[in-house]
Amino acid sequence: MQDFNKVVTSYEQALAGFSDHMQVMIGGFGLCGIPEGLIHYIHNAGFRGLTCISNNAGIDDFGLGLWLKKHQIKKIYASYVGENTLFEAQMLDGSLDVILTPQGTLAEKIRAGGAGIPAFFTATGVGTLIAEGKWHQNFQGRDYLMEEALTADFALIKAWKADTMGNLIYRHTAANFNPMMATAGKITVAEVEEIVPAGTLDPNFIHTPGIYVDRVIQGNFEKRIEKRTIST
Amino acid sequence: MPLTREQIAQRIAQELHSGTYINLGIGIPTLVANYVPDNVQVMIQSENGLLGMGHFPTLSELDADLINAGKETVTAVKGAVFFSSSESFAMIRGGHVDLTVLGAFELSQQGDIASWMIPGKLIKGMGGAMDLVAGAKNMIVAMAHTSKSGESKLLPKCDLPLTGVSCIQRVVTDLGYFTIHDGAFHLMEYAPDVSIDYIKDHTAGKLLIDPAVKPMML
């Protein structure tokens, strides 16, 4: 089983081969389910010119907001960036190239990328700004536009539990974009809360099979909450 | 008096049927969850990967791994399910969600909706709104009838970038409940104590008064 042991013990090993100008997917929805340690490592290492694929861009001092602050991102595919003031500033001054992508289309572009499907048709966005320049096709009386798949040099994801073979389980809504991104990275690195021996996770309840995962690292998570809403 | 945000939500909640799956957008739509009648059971879908959203957590229930599409901490009801974003949008795009309630900046008499961008002012992104309007079987828009300066948001044609084209059939504003078809807004119910003439004066799009028009019951 040695050959299938995906566990690494340092962020340096987890991100071996990472370099400037790479295309990188980062899992998470807002600050929920983000690979915090991997994000911090790339922030501290100072890689630049990155093309990011992520639903959101973090907040000003956490998540991908850290990369924005250091101008490490050249281009980003995202669906919603409302919480980040740096983002808007860099978009308006032209230092950040932003491809706003509908959330379901973004999810499907990544799923398709991981599944070897180069493009697909969707009704999402027909007749809007995002349809401009895209191939349109009518199927059974309705117009659809073509969207191309996305893959990445690195997919950085967060899971709850992993076994040493890289089989993953997510927890609650911290799954979000992580399962698709796991499939779409040339190198997929999973930062997890707990690593257990192979064979101890029930095969019926594994979300991401280890075939998609190259490296697993045990992380330390702050799990910052963006909007803490409490009922009394 | 025009309706409050809560009253708009309350009126929309009357449209809910037991045994349906619904998606509530950010803003007024979220408030609809507070007015689900006692005899009606719905499962609320949140597009970040939750079917069966519950109330806000108590301090002991608070969990950073459990949020809604507005990034607020929530709980999950009995029978809830968690899943990935692509699974979530398969539900939405595939037409499996029975009713979607969403907000808007502008609507046109053709049923076009603008809700994601104000050029030069507000760039937040469309999130899941474009997928929702393309995929939902049934949609109700909840919105203010006019801007703060009193300009109608129910228009012959939207000025702002669109979220979807010819997709909205129903809207509840602070002035009334309207259906949209055949190139016009049709007034079905007016807010208590708001006159039909007042609604006519504050609607820039083509407005027809339905023969069965009645005061709204809340």
Side-chain angles (χ1 to χ4, degrees):
Chain A
M1 301 296 270
Q2 189 62 40
D3 290 344
F4 288 105
N5 186 1
K6 310 279 176 79
V7 178
V8 296
T9 51
S10 72
Y11 286 105
E12 208 162 15
Q13 288 172 287
L15 289 164
F18 197 90
S19 65
D20 292 346
H21 308 294
M22 277 191 160
Q23 179 147 308
V24 53
M25 290 178 179
I26 306 97
F29 187 95
L31 301 181
C32 181
I34 60 173
E36 296 180 17
L38 295 168
I39 292 172
H40 285 293
Y41 181 86
I42 288 172
H43 176 241
N44 292 332
F47 293 108
R48 303 184 83 84
L50 302 175
T51 294
C52 296
I53 299 161
S54 172
N55 188 56
N56 311 90
I59 56 173
D60 287 350
D61 63 344
F62 204 67
L64 292 196
L66 295 171
W67 295 7
L68 278 174
K69 210 172 202 167
K70 225 170 163 176
H71 294 272
Q72 293 174 277
I73 306 176
K74 175 186 67 182
K75 180 176 177 180
I76 184 166
Y77 293 82
S79 86
Y80 190 82
V81 295
E83 279 74 30
N84 197 307
T85 53
L86 284 172
F87 192 99
E88 203 161 343
Q90 291 184 22
M91 185 170 168
L92 293 173
D93 75 18
S95 61
L96 182 65
D97 185 8
V98 180
I99 317 285
L100 283 174
T101 306
Q103 197 174 127
T105 294
L106 184 64
E108 191 64 12
K109 282 163 86 81
I110 299 164
R111 197 196 70 81
I117 294 168
F120 59 91
F121 285 94
T122 179
T124 300
V126 169
T128 74
L129 282 179
I130 68 139
E132 286 174 10
K134 286 180 182 154
W135 177 275
H136 285 64
Q137 178 83 40
N138 188 286
F139 294 101
Q140 298 178 335
R142 188 171 185 192
D143 287 331
Y144 295 81
L145 57 84
M146 192 177 80
E147 294 280 3
E148 291 186 41
L150 284 171
T151 55
D153 298 304
F154 270 79
L156 310 180
I157 64 164
K158 192 264 167 180
W160 179 35
K161 287 185 184 182
D163 66 18
T164 52
M165 295 179 77
N167 296 307
L168 305 178
I169 296 176
Y170 306 95
R171 184 171 178 275
H172 297 0
T173 57
N176 55 66
F177 280 80
N178 288 298
M180 296 87 72
M181 289 183 176
T183 69
K186 286 192 195 102
I187 296 177
T188 292
V189 186
E191 186 175 11
V192 305
E193 294 180 45
E194 186 184 356
I195 301 173
V196 300
T200 53
L201 297 177
D202 184 337
N204 288 298
F205 297 100
I206 286 168
H207 296 126
T208 292
I211 189 170
Y212 298 115
V213 178
D214 299 285
R215 302 170 191 166
V216 174
I217 184 163
Q218 166 107 45
N220 273 317
F221 294 91
E222 176 186 335
K223 290 202 187 179
R224 199 181 290 190
I225 291 174
E226 206 163 328
K227 293 182 189 164
R228 186 185 158 101
T229 41
I230 301 286
S231 68
T232 45
Chain B
M1 286 283 285
L3 304 182
T4 61
R5 290 159 55 87
E6 285 74 17
Q7 287 173 315
I8 293 173
Q10 209 179 335
R11 175 62 190 84
I12 291 172
Q14 294 173 8
E15 300 295 307
L16 302 178
H17 299 291
S18 218
T20 57
Y21 297 96
I22 67 173
N23 181 293
L24 304 176
I26 294 165
I28 300 171
T30 307
L31 301 173
V32 173
N34 300 337
Y35 298 100
V36 180
D38 287 340
N39 58 345
V40 170
Q41 195 194 359
V42 292
M43 286 291 263
I44 301 174
Q45 201 252 20
S46 191
E47 63 265 25
N48 57 317
L50 166 59
L51 186 61
M53 183 174 79
H55 56 74
F56 289 149
T58 60
L59 271 180
S60 64
E61 291 170 327
L62 185 71
D63 187 334
D65 288 341
L66 185 38
I67 64 169
N68 65 16
K71 305 187 183 79
E72 298 166 324
T73 47
V74 293
T75 52
V77 301
K78 191 172 66 179
V81 197
F82 301 113
F83 37 80
S84 71
S85 299
S86 64
E87 180 88 52
S88 179
F89 282 93
M91 293 174 192
I92 291 166
R93 206 186 305 104
H96 304 281
V97 176
D98 297 301
L99 175 69
T100 293
V101 184
L102 67 171
F105 299 146
E106 294 176 348
L107 285 186
S108 83
Q109 63 198 33
Q110 306 298 335
D112 302 341
I113 175 171
S115 66
W116 71 281
M117 182 186 181
I118 301 177
K121 267 194 183 168
L122 180 78
I123 308 164
K124 285 183 179 297
M126 68 293 282
M130 283 191 184
D131 307 278
L132 282 160
V133 300
K137 277 188 280 196
N138 197 354
M139 271 177 284
I140 303 180
V141 167
M143 65 189 288
H145 200 98
T146 59
S147 66
K148 286 193 181 101
S149 56
E151 306 275 333
S152 174
K153 295 182 171 193
L154 275 52
L155 301 167
K157 191 171 173 296
C158 294
D159 293 323
L160 297 171
L162 297 180
T163 309
V165 176
S166 300
C167 52
I168 306 299
Q169 292 98 32
R170 292 191 282 173
V171 55
V172 178
T173 74
D174 47 325
L175 300 187
Y177 171 41
F178 307 81
T179 58
I180 308 170
H181 55 87
D182 302 313
F185 296 100
H186 300 253
L187 178 65
M188 308 304 291
E189 298 174 12
Y190 48 92
D193 305 322
V194 170
S195 74
I196 291 176
D197 282 340
Y198 184 88
I199 296 172
K200 282 181 179 166
D201 287 346
H202 289 82
T203 306
K206 184 175 178 186
L207 177 68
L208 298 175
I209 312 304
D210 192 86
V213 70
K214 59 183 184 185
M216 192 178 287
M217 302 296 285
L218 291 169

